[in-house]
Amino acid sequence: METLRHIVLFIHLIGFATLFGAWAAQAFGGKRQFGKIMEYGLLIAGVAGLALAAPWGLPEGAEMNYVKIGTKLVILIAIGGLVGAGLSRQKRGAAVPPALFWLVGILTATNAAIAVLWR
């Protein structure tokens, strides 16, 4: 069961890497637009993160940190809202506001930092 949990964690990291990598490619490529691949990365990271929030496959005596999980979920929902708002603006032909674009990258990096640093 622990091996399966590690596989789900790996998938979660792939989702994060997809989201952040697509964002970074746009940010440093000069376009600063949202892409469909960001939605896919967000979906993969979210679904795998919810699966990791279930108390299965943990070593004996380990406890879940539900405050950390809740914080990460709130940030993930905020990222989803920002990406969704940006994509809908792009469909209408409007430009994505720079603050909205950069906030997605900052929140994504913050979510990763919480995962690594908060014990």
Side-chain angles (χ1 to χ4, degrees):
M1 202 61 156
E2 188 176 349
T3 302
L4 180 60
R5 186 168 184 82
H6 288 302
I7 291 169
V8 174
L9 177 62
F10 179 66
I11 292 169
H12 181 64
L13 293 174
I14 288 173
F16 161 74
T18 303
L19 171 62
F20 192 75
W23 176 85
Q26 291 293 325
F28 301 114
K31 286 187 176 181
R32 294 188 177 89
Q33 297 177 344
F34 292 125
K36 199 72 167 160
I37 194 77
M38 291 181 192
E39 280 186 320
Y40 295 138
L42 186 68
L43 179 66
I44 292 167
V47 171
L50 288 175
L52 287 170
W56 57 274
L58 289 175
E60 192 67 34
E63 294 184 19
M64 301 293 291
N65 186 346
Y66 291 108
V67 176
K68 175 182 172 181
I69 292 167
T71 303
K72 286 179 57 63
L73 182 61
V74 167
I75 293 172
L76 183 76
I77 291 170
I79 293 168
L82 293 171
V83 170
L87 284 171
S88 70
R89 287 181 62 94
Q90 286 176 198
K91 284 182 185 175
R92 291 192 315 255
V96 175
L100 187 127
F101 179 81
W102 289 104
L103 190 56
V104 167
I106 291 167
L107 287 175
T108 304
T110 300
N111 220 4
I114 288 171
V116 172
L117 301 175
W118 187 345
R119 295 286 166 189

